[in-house]
Amino acid sequence: MRNTLLIIDDSELDRAIFNEIFKKDFRVLRAATAAEGIDQVRKNVLTLAVVVLDICLQRGASGFAIMERIHKLEGCAHLPVILLTAEPEPQWVYKGVEMGAVDFLVKPLAPIATQNRMKAIIEQHWGNEEEQNADAPPGKISLQQAEILTQRWQRKFLSFCHNHDITFASYIQRLRIITSALANAYCELFPESGLLPYDAKLISMAAGFAEVGQLGLPDDIIWGGPDQPEPERTQFFQHTKLGGEAFKDGPKEWEPLLTYCSEVATYHHTNYDGTGYPTNLARDALPLSAQLVHTAMVCSDLADRYEGEPDVFKMVYRALSLRVGRTLSPNMLKAVDASRKSLENIFRTMRRQKRTEDVEEKMRVRDALTVRHDSKEQPKDTDKGKRNSLFYIRNMKK
């Protein structure tokens, strides 16, 4: 049973705060040094749900080096590690994700937000006890093997992306967690669909590779997005075909993970009514895996749009309900509603990381408007124009 959390931090106060936050729900282990932390991981490898690791330990190895050592221990290749820091520098975020970190926590820790975020990550990574103990169907890839494979692929994938959009790693993490919540709800609501907890877990892994086909396009085509003029527009649409083909003809022992990755990469921009792209499938002919990830992407984009609202989930759900039959199926909306609690936590604790240039641009516009005392024009949201950056292009015209 994955009921143990480990924090490795040389601050006695931070260790005590972490213990206070989680002691009612988990068995909390604390380590002040790298050696103590590694020893605790070895002793508790079968019960550890997550390791929280301070990046800057004052004594001994840095957090990055410790994380690398942890993932090399027997049985720990897929153990989730969350990095803890007081200063979330962009280069640290990228390096951490590239090396296998699943998330970042920033000091000082906010108890409720930290609880919600941690629980969402643990649920997404390990699932419930039934899912943890379920054997893969005969001849199919195990969940542990699939997690190891997708983490390896994701590190390589992100290594190509960091020079384009430093925020993409955090977006992928949120997309996977939203997809997991929707897929688990769909399993329970519609058993006749044939979607099992095993498949739900694989689909959440596949969500991380929805946009992999964009690696095959020139940067100017990617930045132009779906609304650019021809012939660049048609060329942009080709990224779905490129992504789908990337996962075909792989080893049979990796199935059905490869099939789900291919379906998601190909149809993640296709609406339920067949609009979007590509347009060769619609409604029940659309793979359920792609429908789940497509809905998760729309949820994520709408959460960004309404992040300033008091009830983000309510706004997202209302917008989705107006798109039933076009963007998503009635059953998918029911899955969103059934995921309300999980999605509320995700929207509240995993907000889109703002890129440095976005913030700087907003400050320049604000300063320019401030000196115009005679102007009644309100500052405009310059971040909106930035959303057509790599991997944030979304076909929002549903």
Side-chain angles (χ1 to χ4, degrees):
M1 182 177 180
R2 300 286 175 171
N3 64 346
T4 304
L5 306 184
L6 168 63
I7 179 170
I8 307 175
D9 193 323
D10 54 16
S11 168
E12 183 176 358
L13 176 61
D14 289 334
R15 295 196 305 273
I17 292 174
F18 188 86
N19 179 67
E20 193 65 26
I21 291 174
F22 290 103
K23 66 181 182 181
K24 291 183 179 180
D25 299 312
F26 296 93
R27 172 175 171 245
V28 180
L29 303 177
R30 291 173 281 178
T33 66
E36 291 177 9
I38 295 294
D39 186 53
Q40 291 281 24
V41 172
R42 286 196 182 100
K43 292 178 179 178
N44 298 277
V45 64
L46 296 180
T47 61
L48 270 176
V50 70
V51 175
V52 177
L53 175 60
D54 187 17
I55 290 180
C56 301
L57 292 178
Q58 295 177 352
R59 299 182 293 275
S62 72
F64 295 117
I66 299 171
M67 179 171 62
E68 188 174 24
R69 288 172 61 185
I70 289 173
H71 283 155
K72 288 181 179 179
L73 296 176
E74 184 176 358
C76 297
H78 63 294
L79 181 65
V81 175
I82 298 174
L83 295 178
L84 183 63
T85 179
E87 299 178 2
E89 297 292 335
Q91 64 270 23
W92 288 5
V93 174
Y94 163 67
K95 182 177 180 180
V97 173
E98 184 185 39
M99 294 181 66
V102 298
D103 204 356
F104 271 75
L105 290 176
V106 179
K107 300 178 182 181
L109 298 177
I112 295 178
T114 302
Q115 284 179 334
N116 292 335
R117 194 163 182 172
M118 189 75 70
K119 289 178 180 179
I121 290 172
I122 292 173
E123 180 180 355
Q124 186 274 332
H125 195 89
W126 297 111
N128 55 39
E129 285 300 308
E130 178 183 355
E131 181 180 350
Q132 291 175 29
N133 297 325
D135 292 331
K140 304 299 184 181
I141 190 170
S142 71
L143 292 178
Q144 182 173 346
Q145 289 174 322
E147 186 66 43
I148 292 172
L149 269 180
T150 52
Q151 284 193 4
R152 185 183 304 160
W153 296 344
Q154 188 165 305
R155 284 195 293 269
K156 293 181 178 180
F157 180 23
L158 293 175
S159 70
F160 288 103
C161 305
H162 75 281
N163 288 326
H164 300 275
D165 195 333
I166 191 65
T167 67
F168 182 57
S170 61
Y171 171 77
I172 283 294
Q173 178 65 17
R174 182 170 69 168
L175 180 61
R176 284 190 56 170
I177 293 177
I178 294 175
T179 301
S180 178
L182 296 179
N184 289 334
Y186 204 97
C187 285
E188 296 182 6
L189 290 173
F190 308 107
E192 67 277 9
S193 69
L195 188 70
L196 302 175
Y198 167 81
D199 301 285
K201 186 72 172 178
L202 293 183
I203 292 170
S204 71
M205 297 179 196
F209 306 99
E211 300 284 15
V212 69
Q214 290 198 22
L215 294 179
L217 300 180
D219 286 354
D220 59 330
I221 299 296
I222 297 172
W223 285 74
D227 298 322
Q228 61 190 305
E230 296 290 0
E232 289 82 3
R233 182 172 181 269
T234 297
Q235 188 175 355
F236 174 81
F237 290 163
Q238 289 300 305
H239 81 269
T240 57
K241 180 180 179 181
L242 293 172
E245 291 177 346
F247 293 100
K248 291 182 177 179
D249 302 321
K252 291 183 178 180
E253 58 267 27
W254 290 357
E255 289 292 353
L257 175 63
L258 291 180
T259 294
Y260 289 140
C261 287
S262 181
E263 291 173 348
V264 167
T266 302
Y267 293 106
H268 65 282
H269 282 303
T270 303
N271 296 316
Y272 183 64
D273 65 357
T275 58
Y277 54 94
T279 58
N280 57 318
L281 296 180
R283 298 189 178 275
D284 293 340
L286 272 172
L288 183 55
S289 60
Q291 292 188 52
L292 287 163
V293 175
H294 178 64
T295 303
M297 294 175 75
V298 177
C299 284
S300 180
D301 289 335
L302 289 172
D304 289 342
R305 179 183 299 181
Y306 298 121
E307 67 175 355
E309 297 290 335
D311 190 337
V312 177
F313 177 85
K314 179 179 179 180
M315 299 300 293
V316 170
Y317 185 81
R318 181 182 297 174
L320 289 174
S321 65
L322 297 175
R323 304 181 184 190
V324 171
R326 295 182 292 116
T327 301
L328 71 164
S329 70
N331 284 355
M332 201 60 66
L333 183 66
K334 292 178 181 178
V336 172
D337 188 38
S339 307
R340 178 186 298 265
K341 185 175 181 180
S342 295
L343 294 180
E344 285 176 341
N345 289 338
I346 295 166
F347 297 158
R348 183 169 55 249
T349 62
M350 300 188 71
R351 301 198 175 199
R352 181 172 69 94
Q353 179 187 349
K354 300 296 191 301
R355 294 179 299 142
T356 303
E357 59 267 33
D358 290 351
V359 177
E360 291 177 347
E361 178 66 16
K362 281 188 174 183
M363 292 179 65
R364 284 195 292 269
V365 172
R366 183 195 63 190
D367 292 343
L369 291 171
T370 300
V371 300
R372 296 169 55 185
H373 300 290
D374 59 338
S375 174
K376 296 182 180 181
E377 182 180 2
Q378 297 297 316
K380 296 181 179 179
D381 184 5
T382 57
D383 188 52
K384 183 177 180 181
K386 294 284 187 177
R387 293 189 62 182
N388 276 348
S389 61
L390 179 60
F391 304 113
Y392 278 100
I393 297 167
R394 300 286 179 267
N395 184 21
M396 295 301 294
K397 297 181 179 179
K398 312 301 183 190

